[in-house]
Structure formats: structure tokens, C-alpha cells
Amino acid sequence: MTLPIRIAPSILAADFAKLGQEVKDVSEAGADWIHLDVMDGHFVPNISFGPDVIKSLRPYTTATFDCHLMISPADPYLEAFAKAGCDRITVHAEAGVHLHRSLQTIRHLGKKVGVTLNPATPLSILENVLDDIDLILIMSVNPGFGGQKFIPAMADKIRNAKSLIGDRPIELEVDGGVSTETAGLIAAAGANVLVAGSAIFKGGSVDAYKQTVADLRAAAERGRLGAN
Ligand code: DX5
Ligand code: ZN
């Protein structure tokens, strides 16, 4: 199944002093989803923001809120993120021992269900939950910080994830080191959702955001065509 290319700016790289405006600007610039990186200083070595901040951002856009939880445990907080206005909630397979329970909880909260894997985590962990998820997020850097380099070995992992998905309508998202240089190979490998933080927000203006979102989309579309 071929799903549309979607560009998901990560607001981790936005100006936190004016987050509402940044969300509005990047939405106007053509973002499909807003990627929300939640970090707890325990599962990853950094702290970002939580459900109250997300709730306060909700009125600034109608774009999908794509929430990436880098927290452990995640289960006690899933309801809070659902109530804050997240449309999609993605948990790390490494964040708890009961992955299936976390996925069920997100489903019962009425949200789209995602699983993400650190670079070293094998895809085999997904084999028994494929029919319970709407999205697979391949981490192409070690989570915790923006501005890192794409790990080249993740291209094969994306390709293998795509074949594992088969005909299922599962979004294949990639996060970390996505730029106009890497977007083509990422889409060629089979991903359709591209998260980009620093590549987009370094622009600093709506016009620059618009240009980068368009460039990323074009590079991904070209990569996808080249692969066929
Ligand atoms: C990393 C986060 C990413 C990050 C990506 O832990 O999950 O979403 O913001 O940043 P860039 O695009 O700068 O690599
Ligand atoms: Zn992320």
C-alpha cells in the first residue's frame, strides 16, 4: 500500500519562547503533521515538555499532532497525552515490558497507535503486534537530541520494515537526521513520513519553513519515484 508522503516538523528545534506561533507558522508552511518529542530525562538523556504544553498548543493548528513519547514508563501518562489533543501516540518498544498493553491502551483511548524502535532494536520485536498498530517509527539517530547525523545502516532497516509491513495500511516514519540530502534515500527505502527538526526550524521564518517543507517533499517524491 502506498501512503502519501507526509512532512512532520519536530518542534524540538523550534523557538520554545514562541511555540504557539512556531506551530502556526510551520502549519501554514505546509506541514502535514506536527511531531511532538516528549522526553523525560530518564529514558533519554534530555527533558523537553509534557501534556500541558501540548494542550496549550492545540488551538494553534488543525494539523495532526504526532506524539513521540520518549518516556519510561509510558502507560501512566497515555491518557493525559490523549486528553491534551494528540491524534497519534507512539511509544518506544524499549520503554516497558508490556508493549502490547501500551498499544491496546492507546487504541482504547481512540488514538492512532505507533511503535518506535531505537537504532539497535531489531524489527522482529514488531512481528506479533503488526495488526495492532497504525505506524512504525524508525529512529535513525539515538533519541534525545535534535541535530544529529542520520545513521546510514538505518536505510536497510527502513527497507526491511517496509517489507514487514506488506500490504497493511501502516505509516512508516523516520526520525533523526532528515534533511534535503537524506530525504530521497529515506523515501526510496520505503518510508512515507519524514520527521525533520533542525532542517526546518533553522530557517527561522514562515517563508524559509515553506521552502524547506517543499524541498523535503520534492526530494522524498523523487526518491520514491527512483525506487520504482
Ligand atoms: C530525537 C527526536 C527527533 C529530533 C529530530 O530524539 O525524536 O524528533 O527532534 O531532530 P533532527 O531533525 O534535528 O535530527
Ligand atoms: Zn521524534
Side-chain angles (χ1 to χ4, degrees):
M1 171 167 279
T2 308
L3 296 168
I5 296 291
R6 308 185 203 279
I7 306 299
S10 160
I11 60 164
L12 190 63
D15 182 345
F16 276 21
K18 49 169 189 172
L19 264 188
Q21 188 62 43
E22 292 275 64
V23 165
K24 194 164 178 279
D25 287 352
V26 86
S27 301
E28 273 172 33
D32 299 292
W33 295 357
I34 305 295
H35 185 80
L36 302 162
D37 286 308
V38 177
M39 302 179 177
D40 66 354
H42 163 74
F43 180 69
V44 289
N46 195 5
I47 299 175
S48 57
F49 49 81
D52 290 344
V53 170
I54 293 175
K55 190 176 177 187
S56 71
L57 294 174
R58 192 59 281 192
Y60 286 85
T61 183
T62 55
T64 290
F65 270 7
D66 174 40
C67 182
H68 173 194
L69 293 181
M70 287 163 273
I71 64 174
S72 176
D75 290 10
Y77 305 101
L78 294 173
E79 188 174 356
F81 284 100
K83 286 192 170 148
C86 298
D87 301 291
R88 306 182 151 268
I89 301 179
T90 295
V91 290
H92 269 266
E94 309 86 357
V97 285
H98 297 292
L99 176 61
H100 187 269
R101 176 178 291 145
S102 306
L103 305 179
Q104 270 185 317
T105 304
I106 299 170
R107 180 73 72 209
H108 289 149
L109 288 164
K111 305 302 174 183
K112 296 286 188 189
V113 183
V115 188
T116 181
L117 307 181
N118 285 333
T121 304
L123 288 167
S124 55
I125 202 166
L126 300 175
E127 276 169 19
N128 298 307
V129 297
L130 280 175
D131 294 320
D132 303 301
I133 59 178
D134 303 298
L135 177 145
I136 295 172
L137 171 56
I138 301 294
M139 289 308 302
S140 42
V141 297
N142 288 296
F145 303 95
Q148 303 180 76
K149 274 203 165 26
F150 180 87
I151 300 169
M154 294 303 105
D156 270 347
K157 191 174 184 183
I158 298 164
R159 217 167 280 121
N160 292 335
K162 180 69 179 162
S163 80
L164 186 68
I165 287 170
D167 284 338
R168 297 175 182 85
I170 295 177
E171 311 267 351
L172 184 53
E173 182 174 38
V174 173
D175 186 3
V178 175
S179 66
T180 45
E181 284 79 51
T182 55
L185 72 94
I186 290 168
N192 72 295
V193 187
L194 280 69
V195 176
S198 46
I200 291 175
F201 284 100
K202 71 176 181 211
S205 71
V206 192
D207 284 348
Y209 299 165
K210 199 175 280 176
Q211 188 62 54
T212 311
V213 168
D215 289 349
L216 286 169
R217 200 185 301 282
E221 299 283 6
R222 273 199 306 276
R224 177 180 260 191
L225 276 179
N228 290 331

